[in-house]
Amino acid sequence: MKQKILVVDDNEDNRDLLTMILGNAGYQVEEAQDGPEALEILSHRDQFFSAILLDKNMPKMDGFDVLRKIKQTQELENIPVIIQTAEKETELVAEGIKAGAYYYLTKPFSPSVMLTITNSA
């Protein structure tokens, strides 16, 4: 059975690119365009995700808020969450890691680095 990854990004081009790269690497990918949609998908207990690639800057709900809700939910807390963002400030990286992120991936990133991190997660 293929491992399933949830890609959460408000930018359709970013979602399409991540889905293509992960799909070509053998992952099954589900997409969400914002935080509320991601949490709705994650609330379905019949789905299991091996990892989540989560954009930090999104409308409706910031990626860090989504991350905190995931880490506060017993059934979801052990899913590795990889934050992806263009923000490289040290304080934000530290905030993401403190909130429970598995990794803080800064854009633009190389597909091979993203796959290595996802495989590791």
Side-chain angles (χ1 to χ4, degrees):
M1 182 157 105
K2 289 184 178 183
Q3 290 189 336
K4 195 176 200 180
I5 307 293
L6 178 61
V7 171
V8 186
D9 199 311
D10 61 311
N11 183 299
E12 185 177 1
D13 291 337
N14 289 346
R15 287 194 316 271
D16 290 347
L17 177 64
L18 288 167
T19 297
M20 181 190 69
I21 294 167
L22 291 163
N24 288 341
Y27 289 101
Q28 180 181 347
V29 182
E30 178 124 5
E31 297 179 19
Q33 64 184 352
D34 58 35
E37 183 180 3
L39 293 172
E40 171 63 27
I41 290 168
L42 290 166
S43 73
H44 298 278
R45 301 296 180 226
D46 59 334
Q47 296 200 54
F48 175 79
F49 292 94
S50 298
I52 301 168
L53 282 163
L54 177 63
D55 187 28
K56 186 208 174 284
N57 294 316
M58 296 183 292
K60 297 184 184 177
M61 184 179 249
D62 179 87
F64 283 172
D65 291 333
V66 177
L67 173 62
R68 286 182 193 98
K69 287 195 178 292
I70 289 169
K71 294 303 174 182
Q72 292 169 355
T73 305
Q74 187 176 6
E75 297 83 9
L76 305 174
E77 68 183 351
N78 292 321
I79 301 173
V81 179
I82 301 162
I83 294 287
Q84 44 152 342
T85 183
E87 296 178 350
K88 301 174 183 174
E89 292 81 14
T90 306
E91 308 82 41
L92 291 173
V93 174
E95 183 182 350
I97 299 300
K98 284 179 189 173
Y102 176 82
Y103 197 89
Y104 195 97
L105 184 63
T106 54
K107 299 176 189 176
F109 50 80
S110 108
S112 64
V113 168
M114 183 273 296
L115 282 173
T116 299
I117 293 163
T118 303
N119 289 336
S120 177

